[in-house]
Amino acid sequence: MLKDFSVQAMVMGLLAAFVGFVSSFAVIMQGLTAMGAGPDQVASALLVLSVLMGVLGILLPLWYRMPISIAWSTPGAALLTGVGLIEGGFPVAVGAFILCAGLIVISGLFSPLGRAIRLIPAPLANAMLAGILVNLCLAPVKAVAFNPSLGLPIVATWMLVVIWKRLWAVPAALLAFALVLVFGVELPDDVLSQLGQSIHPQLLLVAPVFTLHGFISVAVPLFIVTMASQNIPGIAILKVNGYEPAPNSLFVASGLFSGLGAAFGAVPVNLAAITAAMCASEEAHPDPARRYWSAIVAGIGYILLGLLASGIIAFVALSPPILLQAVAGLALVGAFSGAAQAAFRDAESREAAAITFLVTASGTAFAGVSGAFWGLLAGAVMLGLKRVAEKG
């Protein structure tokens, strides 16, 4: 195994961990906060999530000798932001996270369920994702309107860097956010001592509460988004690069780790898409048989970054919330544009996709159930009616 290690794979793995963590941890924070988690609970969840991602990201490449990359469910966290605080607060959300993890395990053990997820029309799944993301992607505009001197440097930095090097755009925006926070926001005199005290990680278990409302409003949409936007694309990226892992066992493993993390308030862990493309590419190593080391190094990187989660949370908490939302929104611009393009590409399903997008983006809950679920259902009904009419 050690003979397969290379500096090239190590560099790509470290880059993947940095990009994967820095580009989307703001989205995770925003999603958990929207569900009612306090700062300490968010820090605990980020720590557990990073460690679980790292451990699973080490074990799977070692077992399969493939660059199988693991990530947290960024689209899932964006979904949580759209759903917002539900009846019963964060404990109900945690119960829904556990149920979602159970669905992921079942999808691996029970093949028909996994196939059923694959049968969800891609335009509708993408329209639902775009509807979830659109409101968060508006945050950069709102940040500039809130305070141009604070919001504009973040947005301008992202715009300039994304033209030059897309992978570095969000890290650059995050750096701009840090500089704006240091030089543009009035910080307390004892800020360094506060950060020093918060750097020590704490693990906080959250007692779950299971409700039908949480299952329908959070667990089911979170499961669909995680499978459709992360797990299935993750398998596809591996196949494109010549790797053929057994999907069912990967789903079971990610579901089990997601259940463990859910007990601490963490969103699901799943197969990566963007960082999977990095670790499985030729840039990781010319020899495909040696690229798995890039995924192993990325896993180690996630663990190290997770240990700093408490300090990161304490630092970010010093800023106006809209600035962090702006960074999260910028991190999701690519995902939004890709989902919207895929949703409306096919003329035959365009109306159904539009209905799914609009109902989801409205954020309106019917009968206590989030708009994401109803958006997918409304689009499916529209698509079904259209197909029946065409056959008639």
Side-chain angles (χ1 to χ4, degrees):
M1 185 186 79
L2 290 177
K3 63 181 176 58
D4 293 332
F5 177 82
S6 67
V7 174
Q8 188 174 357
M10 180 186 71
V11 172
M12 182 56 70
L14 291 174
L15 178 61
F18 181 76
V19 169
F21 187 93
V22 172
S23 65
S24 57
F25 86 90
V27 183
I28 305 297
M29 286 179 57
Q30 191 64 33
L32 294 176
T33 302
M35 287 278 102
D40 290 341
Q41 291 173 320
V42 173
S44 172
L46 264 179
L47 168 60
V48 171
L49 195 52
S50 300
V51 171
L52 290 176
M53 285 165 51
V55 173
L56 190 59
I58 293 170
L59 294 178
L60 290 179
L62 280 175
W63 182 263
Y64 287 97
R65 293 294 195 272
M66 298 179 189
I68 300 171
S69 299
I70 301 298
W72 45 42
S73 182
T74 304
L79 164 71
L80 301 181
T81 302
V83 172
L85 187 64
I86 62 175
E87 184 179 350
F90 194 53
V92 172
V94 170
F97 296 167
I98 294 174
L99 293 173
C100 173
L103 290 174
I104 295 173
V105 172
I106 293 172
S107 70
L109 296 175
F110 187 58
S111 295
L113 180 58
R115 287 197 294 268
I117 294 299
R118 295 184 185 95
L119 289 176
I120 294 175
L124 300 191
N126 280 290
M128 182 182 72
L129 179 58
I132 291 166
L133 298 178
V134 64
N135 288 315
L136 194 54
C137 287
L138 293 174
V141 181
K142 296 177 181 178
V144 174
F146 167 75
N147 190 325
S149 63
L150 298 180
L152 198 55
I154 299 172
V155 177
T157 299
W158 180 86
M159 292 176 66
L160 291 173
V161 178
V162 78
I163 297 172
W164 169 65
K165 195 75 171 177
R166 183 176 296 274
L167 277 177
W168 292 104
V170 175
L174 192 62
L175 176 60
F177 164 81
L179 293 175
V180 164
L181 180 54
V182 171
F183 296 106
V185 176
E186 186 175 350
L187 301 176
D189 295 334
D190 60 343
V191 60
L192 293 179
S193 63
Q194 289 184 25
L195 292 177
Q197 293 173 3
S198 65
I199 202 68
H200 305 292
Q202 295 182 4
L203 296 180
L204 301 176
L205 279 168
V206 181
V209 175
F210 301 97
T211 66
L212 181 61
H213 171 57
F215 177 73
I216 297 176
S217 294
V218 178
V220 172
L222 183 59
F223 167 65
I224 293 174
V225 166
T226 299
M227 293 296 292
S229 301
Q230 295 281 167
N231 280 339
I232 294 174
I235 293 291
I237 288 172
L238 287 171
K239 287 186 176 181
V240 166
N241 286 277
Y243 303 97
E244 295 283 346
N248 286 6
S249 60
L250 298 184
F251 295 162
V252 170
S254 66
L256 291 174
F257 272 67
S258 295
L260 183 58
F264 296 89
V267 299
V269 296
N270 43 241
L271 300 180
I274 295 174
T275 53
M278 297 170 64
C279 292
S281 68
E282 290 187 3
E283 283 76 12
H285 199 277
D287 184 359
R290 297 177 62 181
R291 294 174 192 167
Y292 69 92
W293 262 106
S294 62
I296 294 174
V297 173
I300 296 171
Y302 280 131
I303 294 174
L304 296 177
L305 288 168
L307 296 176
L308 302 174
S310 297
I312 293 172
I313 301 296
F315 179 71
V316 168
L318 298 172
S319 74
I322 189 61
L323 296 184
L324 180 64
Q325 294 170 22
V327 177
L330 293 171
L332 293 168
V333 167
F336 168 74
S337 60
Q341 182 183 23
F344 300 113
R345 182 186 298 124
D346 189 354
E348 293 183 0
S349 60
R350 196 164 290 161
E351 291 86 358
I355 290 175
T356 298
F357 172 80
L358 292 171
V359 174
T360 303
S362 72
T364 304
F366 299 96
V369 179
S370 67
F373 175 82
W374 293 116
L376 191 62
L377 182 60
V381 170
M382 180 65 186
L383 191 60
L385 291 174
K386 185 172 183 179
R387 290 177 177 174
V388 168
E390 290 174 351
K391 289 181 180 180

